[in-house]
Amino acid sequence: MAVHQFHLEADWTGGRNSVGKIESGNLQTEISIPPEMDGPGIGTNPDEMLLGAAATCYLITLAAMIERANLPLETIKLTSVGDVDVTNGIFTYQKITHRPLVQLKMEATERDLDTLKILVKKAESTCMISKALQGNVTIKLEPKISIATL
């Protein structure tokens, strides 16, 4: 069994509407509360980082599965949306919707396309961030998959 540790260091001075900094490996950025939540909107925020973690984990997992299945990949693009509910001043991250757009090369077969349909769904259930969110945040997929044409 291997355990991988990831480390983050943060600096924050002041109150709610201050600006802080985080460093974790290649991630170095300012942080603050987003303007949608009446903050200064400088740098990134936990809502964007959670969405980014879920989206990049899904994207990388899907790409690895496509590679292992030897599918003739043309391109993968991903749009993701995070829904945060605010009721009575309580913020709840409710849902993340991933909208992958995956296109196989022209030489792909219908069987390749069928395999891709399975992988697009399977990547979400095997991504470690999705597993960490399971039971707390709903994750929805709205994929568009195709084979490239001339």
Side-chain angles (χ1 to χ4, degrees):
M1 179 173 119
V3 174
H4 302 279
Q5 289 189 329
F6 299 90
H7 299 270
L8 182 138
E9 292 189 21
D11 286 319
W12 187 273
T13 56
R16 179 190 185 280
N17 286 321
S18 293
V19 176
K21 291 182 181 177
I22 60 170
E23 289 189 24
S24 179
N26 291 321
L27 175 63
Q28 299 171 11
T29 188
E30 291 182 306
I31 55 169
S32 72
I33 295 173
E36 297 87 351
M37 296 177 181
D38 299 322
I42 296 172
T44 191
N45 57 71
D47 310 284
E48 290 173 345
M49 289 190 292
L50 182 63
L51 180 61
T56 55
C57 185
Y58 173 73
L59 185 64
I60 291 168
T61 301
L62 178 57
M65 290 178 154
I66 289 170
E67 181 179 274
R68 274 186 249 124
N70 292 315
L71 295 180
L73 179 65
E74 179 74 24
T75 187
I76 304 175
K77 295 181 188 270
L78 179 64
T79 302
S80 295
V81 177
D83 294 338
V84 176
D85 175 66
V86 183
T87 302
N88 298 324
I90 298 171
F91 295 81
T92 304
Y93 217 114
Q94 285 188 321
K95 177 174 69 173
I96 293 174
T97 304
H98 294 309
R99 295 185 179 109
L101 174 63
V102 186
Q103 190 172 61
L104 298 178
K105 293 181 180 178
M106 288 174 40
E107 66 264 20
T109 65
E110 284 300 318
R111 185 174 180 170
D112 290 337
L113 199 58
D114 290 341
T115 300
L116 179 60
K117 288 176 187 176
I118 293 167
L119 296 181
V120 163
K121 290 179 185 175
K122 187 176 181 182
E124 184 52 48
S125 63
T126 58
C127 161
M128 75 173 180
I129 300 298
S130 296
K131 288 186 211 178
L133 296 175
Q134 191 173 20
N136 294 303
V137 178
T138 300
I139 300 185
K140 183 178 174 186
L141 285 175
E142 295 177 356
K144 291 184 181 176
I145 62 174
S146 64
I147 297 174
T149 59
L150 289 176

